[in-house]
Amino acid sequence: MTEHTVSAFDTELSSLRSTVVEMGGFAEKMVEDATRALVRRDPDLAQTIIAADIRLDNLQREVEERAILTIARRQPMAVDLREIVSAIRVAGDIERIGDLAKNIAKRTVAIGNQFQPPKIVVGVQHMSDLVQEQLKDVLDGYTQHDADVALAVWNRDGDIDALYTSLFRELLTYMMEDPRNIGFCTHLLFSAKNIERIGDHTTNIAETINYLVTGETLGPERPKADKSSFTTVDIAKS
Amino acid sequence: MTEHTVSAFDTELSSLRSTVVEMGGFAEKMVEDATRALVRRDPDLAQTIIAADIRLDNLQREVEERAILTIARRQPMAVDLREIVSAIRVAGDIERIGDLAKNIAKRTVAIGNQFQPPKIVVGVQHMSDLVQEQLKDVLDGYTQHDADVALAVWNRDGDIDALYTSLFRELLTYMMEDPRNIGFCTHLLFSAKNIERIGDHTTNIAETINYLVTGETLGPERPKADKSSFTTVDIAKS
C-alpha cells in the first residue's frame, strides 16, 4: 500500500465515523424533542419530528453503502474491518432510535389535548432523561473508542427497564380506575415502550463499541430488568 | 481470477444464501408456534419458543461475519456485492422477527389462563395467518430472486396494517367495557403490534429482494395503512 492509498483510506474511515456521529446527534435531538412534545402536548413540535426522520433513514443507507464499498475496495485488515462493521451497526441502531422517536411523535398527535396524569408524565420524562443520558454517553464512547464508557452504559440499562416496568403497572392502574383513561393511556404505554426500546438500541451500540475496541462480543445476555412482558395484573384489585 | 477462486467464491455465496434461507424457515416456525401458543393459551409451547430464539441470534451474527469476510477477501463485483449485502439485511430482519415472536411467547406466559374474547382471538389468528403467508412468499422470493413476488408482498402489507388498526380499536373497546380485561388486553395489544411489526420486517425483506434483483431502492414510502399510532378513541362513548 502506498502512502497515498493509506491516507485516502483513513479519510474514508474518518468520514464514515463522522457521518455516524452526526446521525447520533440528530437522534439525540429527536428523542429530546419527542419527549418534550409528548410531555407538553405540543402537536406542532411532534409534526416536525415526524417530518425529520427521513433524514436519518437516508444517512443510514449512505453509511451502509459507503462502508460496503470501502470494504470491497480496500480489503481492510481486521482492526479497520471492525471499524467499518461497527459504523454499519451503530448507524442501524441510530436509525431505529429515530423511528421510535417518530412513533412517539405520532402518538403525541393522537393524544392531543387529553388530560395526562402528572405522575405518569413525570415518570415518562424521568425515563426519557435516563435514556438520553445513556445515549449521550454511548455516543461519546463511540467517538472516543472507549470500551469502559460503553460497558457502564450496558450495565445501566437495567435501571431503564425497571422504570418502564413500574410505569407500565401504573398506567394499567389508571386504565382500570376510569375507562376514559384507556385511550390515551394506551398511547402512553406504547410511548414508554418506545423509550425503553431506545434504551435497548443504546445498549446495542455499547455492545458494538466493545466489539470495536476489544474484538470480542459481550454476552450471552445483559442484565434484563424489563419484566413487563411477564407482568400479570392482579385483576381482583380493580 | 482463476477457476478455482471463482468456484470457492460461488460456494461462499450459496452457503451464505442457504444459511439465510434456513433462518427464514426457523423464523416462520417461531411465528406459527408463537401464534398457536397465544391462541391456545399454551405456556409450555411458549417456553420452547423463548428458548429457541438464541439460535436465530447466533445464525445472524454468523451470516454477518461470513458476509463481511467474503467482501474483504473477494472484492466482489457489483452484482455479487448486492447478493452479500442482501444476505446481511435479510438476516437482520429475520433475527428481529424471531425477537418479536419471542416477545409474543413471553406475553402468552403472562396471560396464562385468563379469558380471551373469541372475537379478538380470531382477529389475532387471522392477522398472523396473513403475516405468515407474506413471510413464506417473501422467503420464496428471496430464494428465487423474484422481484415480482417481492413487490406483491410489499403492496399487500397495507392489509395487515389495516387489520391491526381494527384489532387495536376492538381491544380498546373490551378494555373500556370491563376493567378486568385491561391486563390481558394490554398483552394482546402488544402481541398484535408485534405481529404487525413482523409484517413490517417482511416488507423490508421485500425491499431488499427488489434491490438485490434490480439494484434499485423502492421508495420513498410504501403504502402505510397502520393508523393506530394516530388513533384517538371517542372517550364519550365509554
Side-chain angles (χ1 to χ4, degrees):
Chain A
M1 249 185 200
T2 64
E3 274 299 313
H4 178 256
T5 312
V6 171
S7 150
F9 178 57
D10 285 346
T11 309
E12 278 177 33
L13 271 195
S14 80
S15 141
L16 206 54
R17 216 181 293 134
S18 71
T19 306
V20 173
V21 171
E22 182 195 338
M23 286 181 69
F26 198 77
E28 274 188 90
K29 180 93 173 59
M30 281 183 75
V31 176
E32 192 190 327
D33 285 350
T35 308
R36 177 174 300 133
L38 177 70
V39 164
R40 298 189 187 172
R41 285 174 286 177
D42 183 341
D44 293 336
L45 179 57
Q47 293 290 6
T48 67
I49 297 159
I50 295 168
D53 180 55
I54 186 78
R55 193 167 139 74
L56 276 190
D57 295 350
N58 291 337
L59 283 174
Q60 191 233 337
R61 279 288 143 127
E62 193 194 310
V63 166
E64 199 178 71
E65 276 162 24
R66 273 164 50 201
I68 299 284
L69 282 178
T70 303
I71 298 174
R73 263 202 308 256
R74 309 287 183 185
Q75 297 191 286
M77 312 284 289
V79 60
D80 292 328
L81 200 51
R82 286 212 304 270
E83 181 79 47
I84 301 172
V85 170
S86 299
I88 297 176
R89 286 191 190 156
V90 174
D93 281 304
I94 293 174
E95 188 267 330
R96 275 159 204 280
I97 289 172
D99 283 347
L100 292 163
K102 180 183 174 183
N103 190 267
I104 294 171
K106 284 188 184 177
R107 294 182 185 281
T108 299
V109 174
I111 292 172
N113 261 322
Q114 292 174 76
F115 169 74
Q116 294 181 34
K119 199 172 167 190
I120 297 290
V121 171
V122 169
V124 168
Q125 180 71 62
H126 181 45
M127 199 177 147
S128 178
D129 287 345
L130 268 189
V131 168
Q132 287 175 55
E133 212 178 292
Q134 291 272 83
L135 185 54
K136 191 189 164 301
D137 285 354
V138 90
L139 292 170
D140 287 347
Y142 176 69
T143 310
Q144 290 151 28
H145 285 55
D146 189 333
D148 291 336
V149 169
L151 207 63
V153 167
W154 195 71
N155 279 319
R156 269 199 312 263
D157 186 61
D159 300 350
I160 292 164
D161 289 344
L163 217 54
Y164 168 68
T165 303
S166 98
L167 204 56
F168 179 88
R169 289 219 177 87
E170 199 128 11
L171 277 163
L172 289 200
T173 308
Y174 274 102
M175 290 161 114
M176 287 176 185
E177 273 172 17
D178 187 341
R180 284 173 301 182
N181 295 340
I182 289 174
F184 71 84
C185 276
T186 302
H187 285 304
L188 287 174
L189 207 57
F190 275 107
S191 297
K193 181 72 191 167
N194 286 344
I195 295 172
E196 187 257 343
R197 284 172 61 208
I198 292 171
D200 286 345
H201 287 291
T202 305
T203 314
N204 290 350
I205 297 173
E207 287 175 18
T208 300
I209 296 167
N210 187 72
Y211 156 81
L212 168 62
V213 178
T214 69
E216 273 160 32
T217 306
L218 285 174
E221 286 264 348
R222 74 185 164 80
K224 189 77 190 155
D226 166 21
K227 301 277 184 289
S228 78
S229 297
F230 284 120
T231 298
T232 51
V233 174
D234 185 352
I235 55 173
K237 263 195 189 157
S238 58
Chain B
M1 249 185 201
T2 64
E3 275 298 316
H4 177 257
T5 313
V6 170
S7 148
F9 178 57
D10 285 346
T11 309
E12 278 177 35
L13 272 195
S14 80
S15 142
L16 207 53
R17 213 181 297 133
S18 70
T19 306
V20 173
V21 171
E22 182 195 339
M23 284 181 71
F26 199 78
E28 274 187 89
K29 180 92 173 62
M30 280 182 76
V31 175
E32 191 190 329
D33 285 350
T35 309
R36 178 174 298 134
L38 178 69
V39 164
R40 299 189 185 172
R41 286 174 286 178
D42 182 342
D44 293 336
L45 179 56
Q47 292 289 5
T48 67
I49 298 159
I50 295 168
D53 180 55
I54 186 77
R55 194 169 139 74
L56 277 189
D57 295 350
N58 291 337
L59 283 173
Q60 190 233 337
R61 280 287 143 127
E62 192 193 310
V63 165
E64 200 178 70
E65 275 162 25
R66 271 163 51 200
I68 299 284
L69 282 178
T70 303
I71 298 173
R73 262 202 308 256
R74 309 285 183 187
Q75 297 189 288
M77 312 285 289
V79 59
D80 292 329
L81 201 50
R82 286 213 302 272
E83 180 80 47
I84 300 172
V85 171
S86 299
I88 297 176
R89 285 190 191 157
V90 174
D93 281 304
I94 293 174
E95 189 267 330
R96 276 160 204 279
I97 290 173
D99 282 347
L100 292 163
K102 180 184 173 181
N103 191 269
I104 295 171
K106 283 187 184 178
R107 294 182 186 282
T108 300
V109 174
I111 292 171
N113 261 322
Q114 290 173 76
F115 169 75
Q116 295 182 31
K119 201 172 166 192
I120 297 290
V121 171
V122 168
V124 168
Q125 179 72 61
H126 181 46
M127 199 178 147
S128 177
D129 287 346
L130 269 189
V131 169
Q132 287 175 55
E133 212 178 292
Q134 291 271 82
L135 185 55
K136 190 189 166 301
D137 285 354
V138 92
L139 292 170
D140 287 348
Y142 175 70
T143 309
Q144 290 151 28
H145 286 53
D146 189 333
D148 291 336
V149 169
L151 207 64
V153 167
W154 195 71
N155 280 318
R156 268 198 314 263
D157 187 58
D159 301 348
I160 292 164
D161 289 343
L163 216 54
Y164 169 68
T165 303
S166 97
L167 204 56
F168 179 88
R169 289 220 178 87
E170 198 128 13
L171 277 164
L172 289 199
T173 308
Y174 274 101
M175 289 161 115
M176 287 175 183
E177 273 172 15
D178 186 341
R180 283 173 302 182
N181 295 340
I182 289 174
F184 72 84
C185 276
T186 302
H187 285 303
L188 288 173
L189 208 57
F190 275 107
S191 297
K193 182 72 190 166
N194 286 344
I195 295 171
E196 187 259 342
R197 285 173 60 208
I198 291 171
D200 286 344
H201 287 292
T202 305
T203 315
N204 290 350
I205 296 173
E207 287 175 18
T208 300
I209 295 167
N210 188 71
Y211 156 81
L212 168 63
V213 177
T214 68
E216 273 159 31
T217 305
L218 286 173
E221 285 264 349
R222 73 183 166 79
K224 188 80 191 156
D226 166 20
K227 300 279 185 288
S228 76
S229 299
F230 284 120
T231 298
T232 49
V233 174
D234 186 352
I235 55 171
K237 261 192 186 159
S238 59

